[in-house]
Amino acid sequence: MHEHKDYVTSLNKARKKRNQKMDPRYLLVLLAVIAAAGIIALAVKNFKKPVSGRAGGGPSGQEQGTPSEAEPAEADAEADTETQVAEALSHFTNLGLIQVSGYVNIRETPGTDGTILGTIANGGGCEVLGTEGDWTKIRSGGIEGYVNSQYMVTGDDAKNLAREYVKLRAVITAKSLRVRQTPDDTNSENVVGAVSEGQRFEVLGQEDGWIQIEDGYISQEYAQVSYALDEGRKLDEKSMAINQYENLVMSKVTGYLNVRSSPEDKGNANIIGKMTSKAGGEILETLDGWYKVKSGPIIGYISSDPQYTATGQEAKDIAMQTATKKAVISTDVLNVRTEPNTDAKIWTQIVKDEKYPVVDDPNTPDGWIRIDLDSVDEEDGGESDSAYISTRDNNVEVRYVINEAIKFKPADDGSSSGSGSSGSASRRSQVVNYALQFVGNPYVWGGTSLTKGADCSGFTMKVMEKFGVSLPHYSGSQAKMGKKVTSANMKPGDLIFYAGSNGRVNHVAMYIGNGQIVHAASRRSGIKISTWNYRSPVAIRNMLD
């Protein structure tokens, strides 16, 4: 009996122990759950972006505020950026930082009348070189000039504030670089603009050899990328010519726009100058129907009628289209040679009263420029003389300019009775005023139409014909007619002749008084007014008395 109880007890223990073992099927399910959890955790670890700062909560057992695994790399990146920012600022010994809405002008001299060399935008950095009154002399972006001190902070304030303006920027290393709409240089139609050497732009992105800037994409091959402040930007030559005007006005007439001494139309009585077609000036004052302007050497009044004048963006657009590169002479007389060397023949001389168009000739050596002198009428089949002037003595400045007003006072056209001299003066005035009607009309080689086109001798021939004087259609032949006069006693209506480098007469013009001529100058210039000695005359002839 006792043995049976022991057996039963042992059997019950064994059954109980067996019942405590887990069913293998449950074990398989448990393992599957654990594996899935592991995969999910791994995926989260690999794909979740790290956040800056400390984690809000870690895995079981990790205390709040313990750094995550991504933070050491992030901290290194931040430290590297900070180093590059410090490096960018270290280039300035005496940092100045521009603080303005938009940009300020960098001027050649300290004052609002100084020539504008470039601009520097808000947040732009510069090296402070000194101060003169209310102006600070700076160097920035390769420009050395002056900015108004009220738009700048310096010292520790500049250093502390500058850190937020340091950006990853691309500095252009090519003379000129195209900006494209897409990162593709095989399609010429996607070019949206161009940038110049030294300009810098904030980098918005980089991909496959291209840098994205605000206006499009530029090739990474021609730019240097680094952390930097923005700096000054040089104006392109045309913009420099236009930005010298604070309130630009442009003439829209085909011929000339009269500049008057008073804001009223008195016929010829108060005319003091003429603005050529597409000439510009500075508006000094706006009156009822008139602008008071300064254009070239003249201060006077022009019509404000929008059919004759343009202002605002329209004026700037016209100026950009018509500004041309010219040689501005700064000495009284300058020799013109047939070849770009001092051993070449001097065939004429020019003066500082006129600006001479520059001919872009890649064969012209350094120290010389080629200019256009309207020097041949081509009546004898000749070719235009090559005219070269030296730039070595700083007597010439080459820059883009806008045409401006020229001094002009009409000859007295009132009829007069009495002495023969008075009658002669009246006739000369009539000849000159008749000739001036055709200013702005085209030059046509061989032409004799005062409206549709004439060459130089055709122009003088047809003007004189109106007053009963018969001339041949050739400047060389006209130069043998009439009476010889000197420059000291020439009168309005006299004809002035010019020669080519071979010494033969090849151009004729009419003297209109006040040291000026009217002539059919060239295909480029048409019928225009010039200074009488824009090149050296060889003869002056009186055809009227």
Side-chain angles (χ1 to χ4, degrees), residues 223-238:
Q224 183 178 2
V225 176
S226 64
Y227 279 89
L229 285 171
D230 196 8
E231 292 193 22
R233 294 189 181 188
K234 293 180 181 178
L235 294 180
D236 63 78
E237 292 182 285
K238 280 192 176 183

Side-chain angles (χ1 to χ4, degrees), residues 127-146:
E127 188 70 38
V128 175
L129 304 177
T131 58
E132 293 188 31
D134 295 332
W135 294 80
T136 301
K137 187 175 184 180
I138 67 167
R139 182 171 56 246
S140 181
I143 311 171
E144 191 168 304
Y146 294 84

Side-chain angles (χ1 to χ4, degrees), residues 1-305:
M1 187 68 176
H2 178 75
E3 290 178 1
H4 176 69
K5 288 182 179 180
D6 289 340
Y7 170 75
V8 172
T9 301
S10 298
L11 185 61
N12 289 335
K13 288 180 178 180
R15 186 181 293 116
K16 186 177 180 180
K17 185 176 182 180
R18 184 171 64 250
N19 290 338
Q20 288 178 340
K21 290 183 179 179
M22 182 177 290
D23 190 323
R25 290 174 296 180
Y26 292 115
L27 181 60
L28 290 174
V29 172
L30 180 60
L31 291 174
V33 171
I34 293 173
I39 293 172
I40 292 172
L42 182 61
V44 171
K45 180 178 180 180
N46 289 337
F47 290 102
K48 186 177 181 182
K49 294 182 179 179
V51 295
S52 60
R54 298 190 181 276
S60 178
Q62 180 176 316
E63 294 183 2
Q64 178 102 5
T66 303
S68 68
E69 295 178 5
E71 285 183 332
E74 189 174 300
D76 290 343
E78 289 179 355
D80 184 54
T81 299
E82 183 65 24
T83 300
Q84 294 184 70
V85 169
E87 172 66 18
L89 298 180
S90 70
H91 293 297
F92 299 92
T93 302
N94 189 5
L95 176 65
L97 192 74
I98 299 300
Q99 292 290 277
V100 67
S101 176
Y103 66 87
V104 294
N105 293 318
I106 304 174
R107 298 183 179 270
E108 186 175 19
T109 54
T112 54
D113 56 346
T115 299
I116 299 173
L117 304 176
T119 61
I120 182 167
N122 179 53
C126 60
E127 188 70 38
V128 175
L129 304 177
T131 58
E132 293 188 31
D134 295 332
W135 294 80
T136 301
K137 187 175 184 180
I138 67 167
R139 182 171 56 246
S140 181
I143 311 171
E144 191 168 304
Y146 294 84
V147 297
N148 196 309
S149 301
Q150 67 177 311
Y151 302 119
M152 179 186 297
V153 295
T154 57
D156 291 338
D157 290 340
K159 292 177 182 178
N160 295 331
L161 192 58
R163 307 183 81 81
E164 67 181 81
Y165 292 102
V166 175
K167 307 288 184 183
L168 190 63
R169 302 182 191 274
V171 181
I172 308 303
T173 58
K175 290 292 184 183
S176 180
L177 182 61
R178 292 176 178 175
V179 180
R180 299 178 182 273
Q181 190 173 13
T182 58
D184 176 15
D185 58 3
T186 61
N187 181 7
S188 60
E189 294 182 359
N190 75 342
V191 175
V192 294
V195 293
S196 303
E197 184 177 20
Q199 286 186 290
R200 56 186 64 203
F201 303 91
E202 184 176 351
V203 175
L204 303 182
Q206 299 183 71
E207 56 177 286
D208 299 329
W210 292 89
I211 299 170
Q212 183 182 5
I213 61 176
E214 183 177 0
D215 295 331
Y217 293 83
I218 57 176
S219 172
Q220 193 166 349
E221 183 178 355
Y222 302 105
Q224 183 178 2
V225 176
S226 64
Y227 279 89
L229 285 171
D230 196 8
E231 292 193 22
R233 294 189 181 188
K234 293 180 181 178
L235 294 180
D236 63 78
E237 292 182 285
K238 280 192 176 183
S239 295
M240 286 184 67
I242 295 167
N243 282 354
Q244 306 313 312
Y245 300 88
E246 296 288 340
N247 195 0
L248 177 67
V249 61
M250 294 291 292
S251 161
K252 292 167 61 175
V253 297
T254 302
Y256 282 73
L257 182 66
N258 288 323
V259 183
R260 299 179 179 274
S261 59
S262 59
E264 52 189 335
D265 186 349
K266 293 184 177 181
N268 288 336
N270 64 341
I271 294 176
I272 57 174
K274 290 182 179 287
M275 288 180 69
T276 64
S277 176
K278 309 300 187 293
E282 181 76 34
I283 297 176
L284 303 178
E285 186 180 358
T286 301
L287 305 172
D288 184 18
W290 298 87
Y291 292 130
K292 184 179 182 181
V293 301
K294 182 180 187 306
S295 181
I298 301 173
I299 295 179
Y301 298 85
I302 62 173
S303 170
S304 62
D305 190 325

